[in-house]
Amino acid sequence: MALKNFTEDGNHNNVQELFCSAEFVRGVESELIVLSALSIFFSVTALLGNTLILVALHKETLLHPPSKLLYRNLAITDLCVGIIVEPLFVTYWTSVVKERWDICYYAIRAATFPSFIFCLVSLLTVTASSVDRLLALLLGLRYRQVVTFRRTCITVTALCLVTTIFAYAKLFVTLRHNQIHVQNDAARGQPSQAIPLNIARYRKAVYSALWVQGTLVICYLPYGTVVALISDRGMPSSLYHVWQFTATLVCLNSSLNPLLYCWRIREVRQAVKVTLKQIFCRSS
């Protein structure tokens, strides 16, 4: 059924009211039940996965503290998504199915602000992570003296997505130049003057950060696109359907990140294994 578009000033409160309109959401009950079930599952996995990562990071001693801070910050953000944002979305979708419009309106309003905050924190954190990898390459042995815990805390709150793109472009160009320089020195039989750096280990750390960055972009970009379209064109019923699924995709990111940490970061993987063994030994 074709439903009316939302075109009233692009006002945010009017959008929220529209999301709780019986006419607008009619016919989507089955979709909302499926999304609610998925969100409950994602909420549980985000809670368990990120709690486990935080415990593992607390025990792990090999990672540089600023790098550990960035991973811990992202894990805490994902944990908050699992215990705050996703339950609010489940409450919203359930209230629509049950036609509890009073609960629906408050649920969608309550979910909006923390969703924005946690998305912003996640973007700033992965941005800071890209800069951290760039500084590790450029500073070499001075990295641990320059990149301190306090400075990293400040950096997390001061960066943007443009910086991320620049940092990754710059670090790959510099890494390539560094490799060519080493090869040229070796061909001339001269000792390398390049920055002392374990290239294999550094490359692995960069790709680990890129996996986290890429997964976040894949999960967040569709939602951001839909929100931009809503602001520009209003809210037709077709966009409402897409909005539901893209919002769930954003929440999925919080469940995927713990898996990425365990897969790509050896120190975290080992700490997680030790933690799980201790849990199972105590339970048995």
Side-chain angles (χ1 to χ4, degrees), residues 60-118:
E60 204 285 319
T61 58
L62 297 178
L63 284 175
H64 188 37
S67 298
K68 185 188 293 188
L69 170 66
L70 295 175
Y71 286 119
R72 182 183 287 120
N73 191 69
L74 193 55
I76 292 174
T77 303
D78 290 334
L79 179 64
C80 290
V81 171
I83 63 178
I84 298 176
V85 176
E86 293 183 83
L88 286 173
F89 274 115
V90 171
T91 302
Y92 163 67
W93 285 322
T94 302
S95 65
V96 171
V97 173
K98 299 294 185 179
E99 297 186 354
R100 294 293 306 272
W101 306 119
D102 52 340
I103 298 176
C104 174
Y105 180 70
Y106 288 110
I108 191 62
R109 291 196 67 182
T112 301
F113 181 72
S115 299
F116 172 78
I117 293 299
F118 295 140

Side-chain angles (χ1 to χ4, degrees), residues 11-12 36-37 49 54 62 68 76 84 120 130 138 146 154-155 193 202 209 229 232 234 239 269:
N11 185 276
H12 194 61
S36 296
L54 288 172
L62 297 178
K68 185 188 293 188
I76 292 174
I84 298 176
L120 179 61
S130 68
L138 296 179
V146 175
I154 297 174
T155 301
Q193 300 299 318
Y202 178 77
L229 290 174
D232 183 55
L239 274 184
R269 182 169 61 251

Side-chain angles (χ1 to χ4, degrees), residues 10-196:
N11 185 276
H12 194 61
N13 289 329
N14 289 333
V15 172
Q16 293 172 344
E17 292 174 1
L18 193 65
F19 282 1
C20 296
S21 166
E23 177 186 0
F24 193 80
V25 301
R26 187 177 297 124
V28 299
E29 289 82 0
S30 59
E31 296 177 12
L32 297 185
I33 292 174
V34 172
L35 290 177
S36 296
L38 288 174
S39 292
I40 292 173
F41 175 75
F42 293 154
S43 178
V44 173
T45 55
L47 171 62
L48 296 178
N50 288 288
T51 299
L52 183 59
I53 292 298
L54 288 172
V55 173
L57 288 173
H58 178 72
K59 295 180 178 181
E60 204 285 319
T61 58
L62 297 178
L63 284 175
H64 188 37
S67 298
K68 185 188 293 188
L69 170 66
L70 295 175
Y71 286 119
R72 182 183 287 120
N73 191 69
L74 193 55
I76 292 174
T77 303
D78 290 334
L79 179 64
C80 290
V81 171
I83 63 178
I84 298 176
V85 176
E86 293 183 83
L88 286 173
F89 274 115
V90 171
T91 302
Y92 163 67
W93 285 322
T94 302
S95 65
V96 171
V97 173
K98 299 294 185 179
E99 297 186 354
R100 294 293 306 272
W101 306 119
D102 52 340
I103 298 176
C104 174
Y105 180 70
Y106 288 110
I108 191 62
R109 291 196 67 182
T112 301
F113 181 72
S115 299
F116 172 78
I117 293 299
F118 295 140
C119 287
L120 179 61
V121 172
S122 295
L123 288 172
L124 290 174
T125 302
V126 295
T127 300
S129 179
S130 68
V131 175
D132 177 65
R133 291 300 86 208
L134 175 61
L135 292 176
L137 173 63
L138 296 179
L139 297 176
L141 296 178
R142 296 179 55 235
Y143 167 69
R144 289 180 177 270
Q145 286 74 41
V146 175
V147 182
T148 63
F149 184 85
R150 178 178 178 275
R151 290 172 181 172
T152 302
C153 291
I154 297 174
T155 301
V156 167
T157 63
L159 298 172
C160 64
L161 189 58
V162 175
T163 309
T164 302
I165 298 173
F166 166 78
Y168 275 118
K170 176 64 176 178
L171 72 87
F172 277 118
V173 170
T174 305
L175 180 59
R176 179 59 180 167
H177 176 77
N178 194 46
Q179 290 176 317
I180 294 175
H181 188 67
V182 171
Q183 292 170 357
N184 291 339
D185 287 343
R188 293 193 299 265
Q190 299 176 354
S192 175
Q193 300 299 318
I195 298 173

